[in-house]
Amino acid sequence: MAIATTNPVTGEVLREFDELSPEQLEDKLRRAADAARSYRLTSHEQRAQWLGRAADVLERDTGTVAELITTEIGKTLRAATEEVTKCVAGLRFYAKNGARFLERVQRDAAAVGATDTYVTYQPLGVVLAVMPWNFPLWQAMRFAAPALTAGNVGILKHASNVPQTALYMETLFREADFPADVFQTLLISSGRVADVLRDDRVAAATLTGSEPAGRSVAAVAGDQIKRVVLELGGSDPFIVMPSTNVDRAAEVAVRARTLNNGQSCVNAKRFFVHADVYDAFLAAFVAKMGALVVGDPMDASTDVGPLATESGRSDVEAYVDDAVSHGATVHVGGRRLDRPGWFYEPTVLTGVTSAAKMFAEEVFGPVAQVWPVQSLTEAIDLANAHPYGLGSNLWTEDASERETFIRDIQSGMAFVNGNTTSYPEIPFGGTKRSGYGREMADVGMREFMNAKTVWIGAPANG
């Protein structure tokens, strides 16, 4: 894929970028390694000041950056603005809490025959981030903010269709007065990632993306004995039980499925609804999905914009056509729009069988699958039968159902009476084929730190 900004509304290539030459890439890696040696020695207080400055700069640039995101991937301007605002909050969260997360943790010295013993957290060095396009600022920021807080240096290989957002990230941290080369963007193709990860100057990597991409990075990291965090997508279940407010659940279900034009790893994609409320939920869900306005993402009245790429829309079409060929029913949507750009109607399917590809794969677009179930146990069993395990959602007012769901659902995150999302304050990540490791909070920051045990004995002359 060319490194270029292509407007999903029109299909027009707006700007193209040259890939880094081998010499340019070598220079960036050298400078990152040099920066890591000195940046690790900066104080927690100084890093917090730089993070706060970055938040101020980004807040100032909110309108410009939101328009850039919308132009590159087609998400609504409202959603892009919310993404930028979330990044500002993430920076300020780490500016406020980073020093506390980095404090040494005391252990029982007497129990191990020491005068003092503790764990201190130290940065690993240069960390490679391989990021997707769907939340081009937030997903890069949820790596960058904790990494820089920890004293690591970041190098970003972003998706090839969001080069301007990627370059803005580098500019942001430079303008916030971080030391030179502490965060750099690498405009390179995916085929060169393995060589970067193999470089001895790169200590670790994090990847958010497809399962094949995750397998590739994990294989290289394993061969090189380097730490890696993987977030590889999901097909989150959304379970509705009779005790809940069905109309409210349907309202959130629409947002859960169409967030980011349906292109989010933590979009709810499979809806399991108790038979007692199935008809009412389906009617409300179909009506609300059908009422969404699909159009120009710059228009404030638009609910759903185009898919980010032409190939992405083709994939969604193929999934829906395949499901219908195997007996599924389309209740609303199911077609591309007859206009320029990569638009696809919000779609609700029932009767999706195990023969359909979407039954066990992730559909990255505004397409929902709905099934009736007879019990919570059946819903959980169906949800767990899927190879992914990122987020999950339950709607109930029954405390025992809530505890059963939390105990038995195979996912990295369990949300009750709300849609799965990410926050700086709590860890984010999955299990099974959704990957391993965590982002955000203190847990995510420590993924790329050495937890060093310190044991201090009595003075030799004591």
Side-chain angles (χ1 to χ4, degrees):
M1 177 186 289
I3 301 176
T5 296
T6 302
N7 190 339
V9 176
T10 63
E12 178 188 5
V13 177
L14 302 178
R15 189 174 175 187
E16 295 184 272
F17 294 82
D18 292 331
E19 187 171 348
L20 291 176
S21 68
E23 294 77 17
Q24 289 171 321
L25 177 57
E26 165 59 28
D27 181 61
K28 280 183 169 285
L29 292 175
R30 177 189 57 78
R31 288 189 281 127
D34 289 345
R37 281 189 286 272
S38 57
Y39 184 64
R40 62 183 292 272
L41 302 176
T42 57
S43 69
H44 303 161
E45 293 74 20
Q46 178 62 78
R47 294 174 206 162
Q49 290 179 20
W50 287 325
L51 287 163
R53 170 65 178 154
D56 293 341
V57 172
L58 182 55
E59 187 170 50
R60 180 201 69 194
D61 294 347
T62 295
T64 302
V65 177
E67 288 186 3
L68 176 59
I69 292 171
T70 295
T71 299
E72 290 203 305
I73 66 166
K75 72 165 57 184
T76 65
L77 184 59
R78 179 177 62 254
T81 302
E82 291 171 353
E83 179 175 343
V84 177
T85 301
K86 190 172 187 175
C87 290
V88 172
L91 286 164
R92 289 185 173 145
F93 172 79
Y94 278 99
K96 179 180 179 181
N97 296 287
R100 177 169 58 86
F101 293 160
L102 293 168
E103 290 176 354
R104 63 179 58 173
V105 179
Q106 292 296 142
R107 299 298 182 180
D108 187 345
V112 295
T115 59
D116 192 14
T117 185
Y118 56 87
V119 177
T120 182
Y121 292 94
Q122 298 179 334
L124 295 181
V126 179
V127 182
L128 169 65
V130 183
M131 291 290 113
W133 48 261
N134 57 332
F135 289 88
L137 196 70
W138 171 240
Q139 293 195 258
M141 189 64 72
R142 73 189 195 199
F143 152 73
L148 296 181
T149 300
N152 288 306
V153 164
I155 50 174
L156 170 65
K157 190 286 177 210
H158 219 322
S160 295
N161 60 329
V162 291
Q164 294 188 73
T165 305
L167 290 170
Y168 174 79
M169 288 282 291
E170 181 175 317
T171 300
L172 169 65
F173 291 114
R174 186 185 307 122
E175 188 169 345
D177 299 324
F178 276 86
D181 307 319
V182 162
F183 190 94
Q184 297 182 78
T185 290
L186 309 180
L187 292 183
I188 59 174
S189 64
S190 298
R192 298 171 72 184
V193 168
D195 287 341
V196 173
L197 184 51
R198 287 191 181 97
D199 193 292
D200 288 340
R201 292 165 294 191
V202 176
T206 179
L207 178 140
T208 298
S210 68
E211 186 180 338
R215 289 179 185 275
S216 176
V217 167
V220 175
D223 180 66
Q224 298 295 306
I225 320 297
K226 292 182 180 180
R227 198 173 305 180
V228 64
V229 169
L230 302 175
E231 194 269 274
L232 307 180
S235 189
D236 288 6
F238 189 107
I239 300 171
V240 181
M241 298 301 291
S243 62
T244 197
N245 181 317
V246 173
D247 194 64
R248 171 63 177 161
E251 179 183 339
V252 175
V254 171
R255 292 205 305 271
R257 189 62 203 96
T258 60
L259 173 71
N260 205 42
N261 303 337
Q263 301 164 118
S264 171
C265 298
V266 292
N267 278 136
K269 300 180 178 75
R270 298 175 298 142
F271 297 81
F272 303 104
V273 185
H274 194 281
D276 290 352
V277 292
Y278 175 80
D279 290 341
F281 175 87
L282 181 61
F285 188 42
V286 168
K288 294 175 190 295
M289 288 282 277
L292 295 173
V293 176
V294 182
D296 183 352
M298 292 290 188
D299 190 327
S301 66
T302 294
D303 298 308
V304 178
L307 299 185
T309 65
E310 187 173 18
S311 62
R313 184 181 63 178
S314 296
D315 289 345
V316 170
E317 281 186 307
Y319 275 118
V320 173
D321 292 347
D322 172 71
V324 171
S325 74
H326 287 95
T329 299
V330 177
H331 291 262
V332 67
R335 299 176 301 156
R336 66 166 63 188
L337 269 63
D338 185 18
R339 56 170 290 177
W342 302 317
F343 294 88
Y344 195 84
E345 294 177 329
T347 300
V348 178
L349 301 174
T350 60
V352 176
T353 68
S354 59
K357 292 181 180 179
M358 70 166 59
F359 188 84
E361 298 178 17
E362 179 180 23
V363 181
F364 222 55
V367 177
Q369 307 168 55
V370 187
W371 289 274
V373 294
Q374 299 299 318
S375 67
L376 178 60
T377 298
E378 182 186 0
I380 292 173
D381 287 345
L382 287 169
N384 288 345
H386 200 278
Y388 289 126
L390 186 56
S392 56
N393 308 266
L394 172 68
W395 286 78
T396 184
E397 298 302 321
D398 186 304
S400 64
E401 288 178 346
R402 180 185 65 205
E403 294 306 314
T404 297
F405 170 75
I406 293 169
R407 182 192 67 201
D408 294 342
I409 197 72
Q410 295 171 3
S411 64
M413 299 169 287
F415 279 61
V416 178
N417 297 336
N419 181 44
T420 307
T421 188
S422 57
Y423 299 95
E425 296 85 355
I426 56 178
F428 180 94
T431 188
K432 300 165 67 174
R433 291 192 184 177
S434 289
Y436 48 78
R438 292 294 180 266
E439 298 175 292
M440 305 310 300
D442 56 334
V443 177
M445 188 182 72
R446 290 173 180 165
E447 291 281 3
F448 298 116
M449 302 193 78
N450 175 26
K452 181 180 288 183
T453 297
V454 176
W455 184 99
I456 301 173
N461 59 355

